[in-house]
Amino acid sequence: MLQVTTLRNERERVLEGLRKRGLDAAADVDRVVELDDRRKELQSRTEDLLAERNSLSREIGDLFKSGRKEEATAKRERVNEIKEATGPLEEQLDATVRELEEALLQLPNVPDHRVPAGATAEDNEVYRPHAGELPKPGAEARPHWELADTYGIFDLELGVRTTGSGFPVFTGQGARLQRALVNFFLDRNTAAGYTEYAPPLLVNEDTARATGQLPDKEGQMYYVQADDLYLIPTAEVPLTNLYRGELLDADALPVKLTGYTPCFRREAGSYGAHVRGLNRVHQFDKVEIVQLARPEESYAKLDEMVDHVAGLLEELGLPYRVLRLCGGDMGFTSAMTYDFEVWSAAQERWLEVSSVSNFETYQSNRLKLRYRTDRGTELLHTLNGSALALPRIIAALLENNQTEDGILLPEKLHGYVGKERLLPVR
RNA sequence: GGAGGAAUGGCAGAGUGGUUGAAUGCACCGGUCUUGAAAACCGACGUACCGCAAGGUACCGGGGGUUCGAAUCCCUCUUCCUCCGCCA
């Protein structure tokens, strides 16, 4: 959620930024400022009345103590009049605050000045192109969903039996590979100073709202009606919310968290050739990294996270590139996002495996996540990134490393998987 | 699932209707003393919002109520603790 002061003081920058998302927000911004003006007016009128009531009450107390009952009763009348006036005023104030908040929640984050304008993925900027040749496993290169059968990696039919489409069941050495990747990523993240957490997979509405999944992604999350809980679409949600409402000392910063969780996404309406195999599923495993940083440091931390994720992909020997997302392709809550894509040799296209973003104060404003400075308290910047999302990593490992002698695993994984290559099971 | 108890500032812990945003101790910060440190002593020490300021308002788990006035009384919800039962 944007801050009203930002909308007031930096109106032009905000409008220009939102234009990069293809949004003309002038009317919305003006409406927020108007509502805030109204809020201030109602608040000060209400508080003036309350101040009078409080001081009269004190006088009444004194009068009673000194036994001057009639005077006390007279003042009590006046207090009752005040109460009649404050009631409706407070209702108006509450309604205005709610309206203000609703209006504010409709506005997405303002893109950083470096974010390119644009409507779709076409307009994303290749920030770090892939260096060197892309692997060519040959004309008979098989896509990962075919390899999965031969090598016994995962089974989509079994998932349909237990649940429905889009819930792959990892089997045998595939399940082992999955566990290996989770451990590898967590080990690398903790070595880089991220503290490991294993958070809940269901969250309440306040939590989903604080990181911005609500109201923006309402229909994308699985919702458990009986208990009013949402299945997390990413570990970002519980991890960032661990610090909701905190007021941190400056020397505690930056806070660095990592966590492995399954992620659940309804992906309503996405079908077709591009969603075959592991390309898009309803449940998948992901290891996430989160940072809470001082505003002046946050973009340096974003770079640090980008380098860290790049390091993971290099250790896995996967060809990748980094994109800087354009305004239209960026998430609702982000101020700047880098996407990592790995090359899928058989599908001959790039697959997104990580998204690393700086939310600036958009989340922390809702989270009420602040830190102490010499000047008082200030909102922190929140950042997060996948390090990494597993399914497409597995797809790329299978497709890129297929040989006549089996699927060769990157050296870093040998110890984790317990072997150097995957062999056919049928 | 049943029975009881509790929720107060960074922590511990007073406070059961009146100027209490809240005693006291610890921690933290500034100072005195000291070659330096410790100890001792002195002082400062919550957050948000409104206001140019003076100042004001709100907050003692959440919500609602009683009252001229609520941390304090009532209702309700949540969480935690103890005991019993059940279960992984």
Side-chain angles (χ1 to χ4, degrees), chain A residues 109-145:
Chain A
N109 204 352
V110 179
D112 180 81
H113 69 274
R114 288 163 290 180
V115 169
T120 66
E122 303 287 299
D123 302 312
N124 292 338
E125 166 193 331
V126 180
Y127 178 68
R128 282 193 206 169
H130 172 61
E133 297 283 300
L134 291 172
K136 291 199 174 63
E140 66 282 5
R142 302 166 65 205
H144 69 271
W145 51 88

Side-chain angles (χ1 to χ4, degrees), chain A residues 189-330:
Chain A
N189 294 347
T190 51
Y194 294 89
T195 303
E196 183 176 345
Y197 284 80
L201 307 181
L202 288 97
V203 296
N204 58 36
E205 189 183 324
D206 285 345
T207 293
R209 200 168 279 277
T211 33
Q213 277 68 32
L214 291 177
D216 179 49
K217 293 211 171 102
E218 176 92 57
Q220 279 289 2
M221 286 187 291
Y222 287 96
Y223 174 58
V224 182
Q225 196 162 23
D227 295 288
D228 200 17
L229 295 172
Y230 294 87
L231 273 78
I232 58 170
T234 159
E236 159 197 349
V237 178
L239 286 179
T240 309
N241 270 280
L242 294 176
Y243 280 81
R244 189 164 85 225
E246 294 277 320
L247 177 52
L248 300 174
D249 286 326
D251 58 16
L253 300 171
V255 172
K256 299 169 75 174
L257 316 171
T258 187
Y260 150 68
T261 69
C263 301
F264 305 91
R265 298 185 184 181
R266 295 186 60 226
E267 305 291 2
S270 40
Y271 302 98
H274 278 187
V275 304
R276 286 197 71 174
L278 295 181
N279 287 344
R280 174 163 292 140
V281 288
H282 291 307
Q283 177 183 329
F284 62 95
D285 283 2
K286 180 160 65 63
V287 178
E288 185 80 358
I289 51 176
V290 169
Q291 289 211 35
L292 315 177
R294 292 186 188 87
E296 64 271 25
E297 289 180 343
S298 72
Y299 278 95
K301 299 300 175 192
L302 183 65
D303 291 343
E304 177 195 307
M305 291 166 77
V306 165
D307 288 340
H308 178 72
V309 172
L312 295 177
L313 290 169
E314 268 154 38
E315 287 191 86
L316 293 178
L318 290 172
Y320 70 94
R321 61 177 191 175
V322 185
L323 306 177
R324 177 138 67 195
L325 297 195
C326 73
D329 203 28
M330 247 179 12

